[in-house]
Structures are given as C-alpha cells and as structure tokens.
Amino acid sequence: MGASHLHPVEARLAELWPPEDWHPKGVVIALSGGPDSVALFRAMVALCPEKFPFIKGLIAAHFNHQLRGAASEEDAQWVLGLCQRWGVPCQVGTPSLGEELKTRKGRPSEALARKARYQFLRQVAEEHGLRYVATAHTADDQIETILHRILRGTGIAGLAGMNRARPLGPAVSLIRPLLPFRREELRQYLADLGQEYRHDASNEDLRFTRNRIRHRLLPLLREQFGPHVEGAILRLGRLAGEVSTWIQSEASRFLEEVAFPEGPTWIFRADRLAKLPSFLIREIFRSFWRQQGWPQQHMGQAEWEVLVQAVHLAMGFTSTRVARWTLPGAILVEAAKGQVRLSPS
C-alpha cells in the first residue's frame, strides 16, 4: 500500500517502526480486543504488502484470562472473528491447568495475569519462529506506569517507565510500537475506519491500583494543575530514561572490572566498588542480576541496599570476620575482607 493511501496513524507507525524491519522477521500481535490493541492490529495489517504471507509473518495472539466469565469467552470469539475477516491467523491461550490468577482474597492479581499472558505470547512466537511480540501500550499507559512506580517507590530506572523494547526470550523481543501515541488519537483512528472494539469492564474496577490512577488520580491532577501535567510526566520519563541508560552503561563497564567467578561463587572486589557512589554500586549489582538471570521481582530498595552495605563492611573486616545475608531467590551474600561473595543456593 502506498504511503499516500495510509491513514496518518498508519503512516506515523511506518516511520517509527518501518515495515521492512519486521516483515521478514515476523510479529505476534497481542490482541485483547480493546481499542488500543485493535488499532495496532488494523495499522499493522494496513502496512503489510499483499504479497506478504500472513501465516509466516503475522499472527495475532489472545490470552483469555477466564476472570470475567461469559464476557471473557465473548472477547475471545470476537477477536477470532476479527482475525478471520482480515485473513490473519489467531491463537487463543488460557491459563494452564492449576494456574491461579487470583490472590488469596479471591481478587484477580495483575502481576500473575501479566506473567501468564507474557509466557503465552513468548510461547506463540517461539512456536512459529517469529522475532517480535508487539503490544499496544500507549503514552497514556506510560504516564500511568510512571505514577504507579512513584507511588510504590522507585529509583531513576523506574521513573523512565516502560522501555520501547526488551528481551522476552533468547530469540524473542517484546516491542511497544504505540508508545508515542495517545489513546484518544487511536480511538479517532478506529472511528475513521468504522472499526468496533471490545470494552473490558475490569478497566473500570477501582480495586486495581492502575485503574485508580487512571480514573481518580490523573483527573484530579489535570483539574488541580492543568492539562500540561501529563506532558510533564512524560518528559520526566524521557529524561530519567537518558540518565538510566548512561548509568547502566557505566555499570556494565565496571562490572567487567570488579567481578570474577570462583566455581559457582562470584567474587566482587570491594576495594574498587567502595570508591563508587551508592547508586552506581546498586546498578552494578542489578546488571549482574540481569546477566545471571536471577529473579528481581522481590528485590526492593532494602535488598539492593544490603549489597551496598556488604561492600562497605567488607572494607573494614579482618581476615576472619564474615557477614552473611540471604536475598530473594535464595542468593547467599557474604561480606569478607576486601570482597563480597554471591552464591546461588
């Protein structure tokens, strides 16, 4: 399709993520049936040349969380119908047998549902040999994510919000091509196309923190401080992202100089680390955690501070004194004379 025939949303997406970058490698589109994911689906279909074999390069994937009864089943059937009309294969997933997506109080868990959904999307991509999983996160989602992290407690990296792309597996990357778009822009796009979409009632459920941010906190901020608030939050995220990128680069460089293996144990040179600011020490250990594939979801500020404390304690210890901690993921930390040792149990 020529650029002159593209809708402005489609043309902008083509500039931000050129079709020639993803046509040959293949994409799994995460298609919930909501307006943002349907907009992503329609735009990517519009950018596919007619000769492009959908079955090899473009697949939709819908994860039915089975948390809303009949409405969940209706969403899945609607998505299947949409894909059939456009000739795009669609794969529907459900929680595996025994997989619990609710908390002990019986409420749906956002974290568990997200984990199950991404596992399914990665599986679809790997089964079909596709390179990318594309989700429909928008600038509005970015704003909510930054606010959510501020309320929960975060560092510079957290203020950067969601990355445009990140690894989802050894051969699969998650990409968020709609991050520069606002929700209202995408809804207008669907209205211009005459394209319907599904409404998920759980997006109005104020038991979820993100929904309270969307429906209560953000309207209050706009009312009290003006419509520029959202743009200010996005600018903060971009600036934090630039700083975070530099810090991560420095951390990776230092990591190569201060850590070495001794069997299953890794030794960190406390004399080198102790000269660095605490924020950089924390980022060096975060980089190491990512490199090793160790779990980070329960590593909060207090846990990273343990590692900073271990570095400084190690500088004052005699040859016989050792301090020990166990961090989430059963990682043993030992501070001894001049070094910090990390071992997975």
Side-chain angles (χ1 to χ4, degrees):
M1 181 179 290
S4 60
H5 297 96
L6 293 176
H7 186 281
V9 165
E10 297 162 357
R12 187 179 175 203
L13 178 60
E15 291 179 5
L16 293 169
W17 196 27
E20 56 268 24
D21 288 353
W22 52 265
H23 278 167
K25 300 174 183 178
V27 183
V28 175
I29 301 176
L31 184 55
S32 68
D36 300 336
S37 70
V38 172
L40 176 62
F41 174 83
R42 286 297 307 268
M44 292 192 68
V45 168
L47 295 176
C48 283
E50 292 183 7
K51 65 180 180 179
F52 183 59
F54 283 118
I55 195 144
K56 292 184 179 179
L58 193 65
I59 293 178
H62 174 85
F63 190 72
N64 180 358
H65 292 94
Q66 298 180 329
L67 293 173
R68 295 182 293 114
S72 292
E73 301 301 326
E74 291 167 4
D75 286 350
Q77 291 304 312
W78 187 90
V79 165
L80 286 169
L82 175 68
C83 293
Q84 186 176 20
R85 286 196 297 276
W86 289 97
V88 178
C90 181
Q91 199 161 326
V92 176
T94 57
S96 59
L97 186 64
E99 188 171 22
E100 180 58 68
L101 300 185
K102 294 185 178 181
T103 64
R104 292 179 181 178
K105 297 180 180 180
R107 290 166 47 183
S109 166
E110 293 174 277
L112 291 176
R114 186 185 309 110
K115 180 180 178 181
R117 182 168 63 252
Y118 280 122
Q119 285 177 340
F120 165 68
L121 294 170
R122 172 182 168 178
Q123 179 183 342
V124 173
E126 290 175 341
E127 285 178 354
H128 294 275
L130 306 184
R131 181 70 177 84
Y132 297 108
V133 168
T135 63
H137 293 101
T138 66
D140 296 84
D141 293 304
Q142 186 75 296
I143 292 166
E144 293 162 8
T145 295
I146 293 171
L147 284 174
H148 194 178
R149 291 178 178 179
I150 290 172
L151 295 173
R152 190 176 56 193
T154 189
I156 296 295
L159 285 178
M162 296 178 284
N163 293 325
R164 180 179 180 271
R166 68 173 177 86
L168 199 57
V172 179
S173 294
L174 174 71
I175 189 161
R176 301 179 174 101
L178 297 185
L179 267 186
F181 294 80
R182 298 302 299 265
R183 284 194 191 117
E184 190 56 41
E185 184 180 3
L186 298 178
R187 280 159 179 71
Q188 184 59 54
Y189 168 57
L190 295 178
D192 293 343
L193 297 180
Q195 173 64 60
E196 296 180 346
Y197 52 85
R198 298 289 291 176
H199 175 72
D200 185 346
S202 67
N203 289 331
E204 312 297 325
D205 189 344
L206 296 180
R207 292 179 299 173
F208 295 116
T209 303
R210 183 174 287 273
N211 289 344
R212 292 198 300 276
I213 291 171
R214 180 180 303 177
H215 300 297
R216 288 186 173 175
L217 179 57
L218 273 170
L220 179 63
L221 290 174
R222 284 192 292 265
E223 176 188 338
Q224 296 292 323
F225 301 101
H228 68 279
V229 164
E230 291 165 313
I233 294 170
L234 287 172
R235 284 194 297 276
L236 171 65
R238 284 193 292 271
L239 291 172
E242 293 174 3
V243 174
S244 180
T245 298
W246 179 83
I247 293 173
Q248 289 176 21
S249 175
E250 288 294 288
S252 296
R253 181 172 66 85
F254 277 110
L255 180 58
E256 295 179 0
E257 301 174 2
V258 301
F260 58 93
E262 269 191 10
T265 300
W266 278 83
I267 310 298
F268 286 77
R269 292 184 55 183
D271 60 327
R272 295 293 305 277
L273 289 171
K275 298 175 183 178
L276 303 175
S278 294
F279 75 86
L280 190 51
I281 297 174
R282 287 192 295 270
E283 190 55 45
I284 288 169
F285 282 112
R286 283 195 180 96
S287 295
F288 179 75
W289 247 251
R290 287 192 295 268
Q291 186 183 92
Q292 297 299 308
W294 291 352
Q296 295 187 60
Q297 58 266 36
H298 299 299
M299 288 289 293
Q301 187 69 14
E303 285 72 27
W304 297 118
E305 283 299 328
V306 164
L307 293 161
V308 176
Q309 180 185 358
V311 167
H312 293 294
L313 282 176
M315 291 301 297
F317 279 179
T318 64
S319 58
T320 58
R321 190 175 178 188
V322 178
R324 295 182 177 87
W325 302 262
T326 300
L327 294 180
I331 306 300
L332 176 64
V333 180
E334 295 180 306
K337 182 182 179 181
Q339 60 181 222
V340 174
R341 300 192 289 259
L342 299 181
S343 309
S345 298

